[in-house]
Amino acid sequence: MARAKKQPFERQDKETEKAFEAFRIYRELGSERSCAKVGEKLGKSSTLIERWSSRWDWVERVKSYDSEMDRKALKQEEKKRRDMATRHANYATVFQQKVLERLQNLNPAELSTSDMIRWFEISVKIERLSRGEPTEISTLEHGGEVTQNHEHSFDEDIEKYAEMYDRIRDKKT
């Protein structure tokens, strides 16, 4: 049965325990890595540490180690983002159900004009978002020969619909 290939940052075949211990210290020093610091920490000469570093290719091995740690950290962050998105989607679904239950029992005649405006504004934004459209429409000017100005006021629309709603409600009462 074939043995799995060792990672460069693991103890290598024929690498002594002491040399690997020195490498681990070097590896864990991060951006502060130096053979001199490893020598100080182990009470060994810089010459010996530099010889081990050269023989066992510490610089390349720590590059591999750093890349692996970065890859694992990114993978972990990606999982956390996915978990968060799932959790938030679940919360949103539960909350939507509660809102829909409440809306079914809501008497529109009990809502003020400002309540109706707010509900309309929210529903328009939700519809626009779900269709992939922006929720705000703003002015865009081009510095070239052509200037275009697009304006739309949801507030005016909301006021129109609120007035229409008030008229309908007044006719019913």
Side-chain angles (χ1 to χ4, degrees):
M1 183 154 100
R3 260 182 88 188
K5 184 181 177 195
K6 289 184 179 184
Q7 294 289 338
F9 44 83
E10 296 176 322
R11 185 174 173 191
Q12 302 299 296
D13 293 334
K14 299 184 181 178
E15 183 177 24
T16 67
E17 208 171 298
K18 288 183 180 185
F20 183 65
E21 178 188 359
F23 171 71
R24 272 199 335 250
I25 292 168
Y26 181 77
R27 184 183 69 193
E28 300 305 320
L29 285 171
S31 63
E32 303 295 316
R33 290 180 184 122
S34 75
C35 289
K37 287 184 181 181
V38 174
E40 285 175 25
K41 195 161 185 121
L42 291 174
K44 305 243 183 238
S45 74
S46 295
T47 307
L48 174 64
I49 301 301
E50 287 169 7
R51 190 169 58 238
W52 283 345
S53 172
S54 176
R55 178 170 184 209
W56 296 107
D57 203 13
W58 286 5
V59 173
E60 286 304 311
R61 289 172 70 190
V62 295
K63 283 181 186 176
S64 176
Y65 176 78
D66 290 344
S67 293
E68 179 67 8
M69 293 301 105
D70 286 346
R71 186 189 67 76
K72 285 182 177 182
L74 288 171
K75 191 173 182 180
Q76 189 174 39
E77 283 303 311
E78 182 181 315
K79 183 184 180 327
K80 286 179 183 179
R81 279 192 296 277
R82 280 194 316 269
D83 291 348
M84 177 190 68
T86 300
R87 188 176 61 251
H88 288 178
N90 289 337
Y91 292 155
T93 302
V94 168
F95 190 71
Q96 287 170 7
Q97 186 59 41
K98 297 291 181 193
V99 169
L100 290 174
E101 288 171 11
R102 179 79 187 267
L103 283 173
Q104 289 172 349
N105 298 321
L106 189 66
N107 180 356
E110 294 174 359
L111 294 175
S112 69
T113 302
S114 63
D115 290 336
M116 291 298 292
I117 290 170
R118 184 72 183 131
W119 281 104
F120 182 80
E121 182 180 64
I122 290 169
S123 66
V124 166
K125 283 184 178 183
I126 291 170
E127 180 184 12
R128 292 187 67 78
L129 283 172
S130 63
R131 293 179 189 270
E133 295 293 325
T135 58
E136 304 292 328
I137 299 176
S138 59
T139 301
L140 175 65
E141 292 184 21
H142 185 270
E145 293 180 28
V146 178
T147 301
Q148 292 182 329
N149 204 2
H150 298 279
E151 292 185 26
H152 183 78
S153 172
F154 284 118
D155 293 336
E156 290 174 12
D157 287 349
I158 292 169
E159 287 179 29
K160 278 195 293 189
Y161 286 111
E163 288 171 13
M164 287 174 23
Y165 172 76
D166 287 341
R167 278 186 262 143
I168 292 168
R169 187 180 62 194
D170 291 343
K171 286 181 183 177
K172 287 183 179 179
T173 55

